[in-house]
Amino acid sequence: MFDIKWIRENSAVFDGALKRRGGSLRSAELLALDETRRKALTRAQETQAKRNKLAREIGAGKAKGENVDALLAEVAHDKANEAALQAEAERLQADLDARLALMPNVPAADVPDGGDASYNQEIRRLGTPPKLAFKAREHFDLGESLGLMDFERAAKISGARFVVLKGALARLERALASFMLDLHTAEFGYTEVNPPALVNDAAAFGTGQLPKFGSDLFRTESGLWLIPTAEVPLTNLVAGEILDEAQLPTRLTAMTWCFRSEAGAAGKDTRGMLRQHQFTKVELVSIAHPDASAAEHERMTGCAEEVLKRLGLPFRTVVLCTGDMGFAAQKTYDIEVWLPGQGRYREISSCSNCGDFQARRMKARFRPKGEKGTRFVHTLNGSGIAVGRALVAVLENCQQADGSVRIPDVLKPYMGGLDVIRPAKA
RNA sequence: GGAUGGGUGGCAGAGUGGUCGAUCGCACCGCACUCGAAAUGCGGCAGACGGGCAACCGUCUCGGGAGUUCGAAUCUCCCCCCAUCCGCCA
């Protein structure tokens, strides 16, 4: 969410940013509305000031036993006018806010321009895709052969884009999540949080899901939203708060289910568990000092990459171009893991620096030491990493000729010492 | 779901119609004292918005909304949230 004052003073930057994102120029229209709004506000405030003054005079006059009928008549006369001016100012304010709430964040200066994912730029690549002496199978093929991944029964009870995991695969998902949480908490200083998976409108607005992207979410009958990512509850933990500067950075991690309607994804990744309505993810969130958020972004991306390094999964990291970034992001790194079954890299993590965009929406501030007033914090979020897709990646990268799957060393303690997942006996 | 009690500035906690945007304390900031620190003393300290080059002036905000009144933190109504007890329940 933008500060209209910032747009007023940086209209060229604002329009340039929208243009880079493929939008149309809007500052002139917004500033005209703002001009009207401020004039209406001033008029309304002048009448309020007058009323306050008269009310004080009436009070003082009455205390002295004077006749205040003339003053009372004057107040009564102004009353209708004041209400109308106030309503007008409020209407214009609401109109401006509604427009600002739909504006995406400005891309950082070092984000490449481009309209779609083909303009994303690879910045590094680690690990080597495994050389298999046999034709690599896709994860759903492996999982079903193992007898531990069941899409048909999931469809029976829930519909498309759900899966049932059993036995060693169910445990593998739990092992992956535990490993990730242990890594982030023990080595990277994140605090583990177990947040609500249902949030209210204000929280969904704060991180930018509302008002524009409500159709991507599931909504309960009572009006709550199922979280599409733990970014929503974790980031909103500081909503409306004024932090001490010493509390920055606050680093949080959570394993949660994520729920996405996948509206508009019809036909994409229909087979397998790459794109589900419900999936497990370990999320990383940082509440950072504005001067430190760029460095925090690099650090967070490194934390996510470390998960893949230790699992021995080949990956590459790309910086998203302006046209491929999310609504709230200033800059985003995607980490893509190698999937032998598909023979290509697929997104497994997305780490974004949102600057003060979300902080403004949720009014999350801090008090700079030795300075007057408050400043908005910067918020960052990243998958650390998507557990469901990590399970897919382990299956495909660690598959063996006989359809069995080798367990990465770092996961063995979490798997009760199991080395290999073998097909269930027929 | 029922009953009761609450939601006030970073925290804690007064305030039941008229300079209350709000007493006092803690925290924080500045100054003094000190070689330095602690303790102590003095002073400052809510946020947002609008106007102004600025000093400064004004408006709004005491969970949210509506109302009564010349005037509401304070009275009325609705809603939300929290605490405790009861019921139900993983």
Side-chain angles (χ1 to χ4, degrees):
Chain A
M1 184 103 166
F2 290 100
D3 178 3
I4 187 65
K5 279 191 291 192
W6 181 86
I7 296 177
R8 213 182 295 152
E9 287 154 20
N10 302 275
S11 57
V13 177
F14 177 75
D15 279 337
L18 287 183
K19 194 176 170 193
R20 289 180 69 200
R21 278 206 166 225
S24 50
L25 307 187
R26 304 298 289 280
S27 72
E29 164 197 343
L30 291 169
L31 291 178
L33 177 57
D34 178 50
E35 184 72 24
T36 314
R37 175 198 132 247
R38 282 186 291 153
K39 285 196 172 128
L41 183 60
T42 298
R43 279 196 299 273
Q45 289 186 352
E46 280 166 357
T47 61
Q48 287 168 341
K50 183 180 176 192
R51 169 172 54 77
N52 288 340
K53 179 168 166 281
L54 288 174
R56 275 193 297 270
E57 287 173 12
I58 291 168
K62 274 192 171 173
K64 288 187 220 154
E66 296 169 359
N67 185 309
V68 295
D69 287 354
L71 294 173
L72 287 173
E74 190 171 356
V75 167
H77 174 262
D78 289 347
K79 201 142 201 195
N81 190 34
E82 181 189 334
L85 288 171
Q86 248 183 65
E88 175 69 357
E90 278 166 24
R91 188 186 66 74
L92 290 164
Q93 179 73 56
D95 190 5
L96 181 63
D97 284 346
R99 287 167 199 249
L100 289 174
L102 295 171
M103 299 283 140
N105 205 348
V106 293
D110 56 353
V111 168
D113 285 322
D116 60 63
S118 65
Y119 294 90
N120 296 344
Q121 289 176 4
E122 180 175 317
I123 38 182
R124 57 184 163 264
R125 189 182 283 234
L126 276 96
T128 315
K131 300 213 170 9
L132 302 176
F134 52 93
K135 184 172 174 6
R137 297 161 71 183
E138 292 206 57
H139 71 279
F140 47 84
D141 187 7
L142 289 160
E144 287 178 329
S145 299
L146 288 167
L148 302 176
M149 188 181 286
D150 190 340
F151 293 97
E152 285 180 26
R153 288 202 175 86
K156 177 176 71 179
I157 57 180
S158 300
R161 295 201 189 283
F162 287 93
V163 69
V164 173
L165 298 179
K166 293 194 296 189
L169 281 193
R171 182 161 188 177
L172 179 58
E173 168 148 339
R174 181 158 55 90
L176 281 162
S178 294
F179 161 66
M180 294 175 203
L181 288 171
D182 285 352
L183 176 67
H184 297 313
T185 56
E187 297 190 32
F188 297 136
Y190 285 84
T191 300
E192 184 171 350
V193 177
N194 193 335
L198 288 163
V199 297
N200 59 26
D201 287 351
F205 179 86
T207 34
Q209 278 71 32
L210 294 183
K212 209 172 174 183
F213 304 102
S215 63
D216 293 338
L217 313 184
F218 289 109
R219 187 169 187 265
T220 67
E221 281 191 40
S222 61
L224 294 173
W225 305 87
L226 277 162
I227 57 171
T229 159
E231 167 198 345
V232 178
L234 289 185
T235 309
N236 274 288
L237 283 173
V238 296
E241 305 207 355
I242 300 176
L243 306 173
D244 287 334
E245 188 167 9
Q247 291 175 264
L248 305 178
T250 294
R251 298 189 175 110
L252 307 170
T253 183
M255 175 199 70
T256 68
W257 274 323
C258 303
F259 301 91
R260 299 187 182 178
S261 71
E262 294 298 344
K268 263 198 252 178
D269 301 313
T270 49
R271 292 215 58 189
M273 51 183 288
L274 229 41
R275 190 176 299 277
Q276 303 271 288
H277 286 308
Q278 171 189 330
F279 61 95
T280 308
K281 182 156 61 70
V282 168
E283 182 75 358
L284 304 173
V285 160
S286 287
I287 311 301
H289 191 288
D291 302 339
S293 72
E296 184 71 13
H297 189 206
E298 301 298 324
R299 182 186 191 276
M300 174 181 279
T301 306
C303 294
E305 287 176 344
E306 187 64 23
V307 172
L308 295 172
K309 285 185 198 168
R310 296 205 189 183
L311 289 170
L313 297 172
F315 67 90
R316 62 174 196 161
T317 301
V318 304
V319 58
L320 297 193
C321 72
T322 51
D324 204 27
M325 284 197 307
F327 180 74
Q330 263 178 7
K331 182 177 180 180
T332 298
Y333 291 119
D334 269 11
I335 302 171
E336 300 179 341
V337 70
W338 176 257
L339 293 186
Q342 292 196 352
R344 63 179 181 123
Y345 287 97
R346 292 300 305 261
E347 178 186 341
I348 196 165
S349 171
S350 190
C351 299
S352 298
N353 183 358
C354 297
D356 64 7
F357 186 84
Q358 293 178 325
R360 283 183 188 286
R361 294 171 87 93
M362 63 178 71
K363 298 182 173 49
R365 292 163 291 175
F366 73 101
R367 225 177 267 288
K369 197 126 181 110
E371 245 179 79
K372 221 174 154 237
T374 59
R375 289 180 71 185
F376 287 104
V377 298
H378 280 196
T379 62
L380 302 93
N381 64 81
S383 347
I385 57 179
V387 177
R389 288 189 177 180
L391 183 137
V392 167
V394 167
L395 289 180
E396 295 198 8
N397 281 279
C398 301
Q399 61 180 302
Q400 306 185 99
D402 63 355
S404 63
V405 175
R406 196 173 40 75
I407 302 293
D409 286 344
V410 292
L411 294 182
K412 284 178 186 169
Y414 296 96
M415 293 295 288
L418 188 71
D419 287 320
V420 179
I421 302 177
R422 298 183 191 286
K425 295 217 170 71

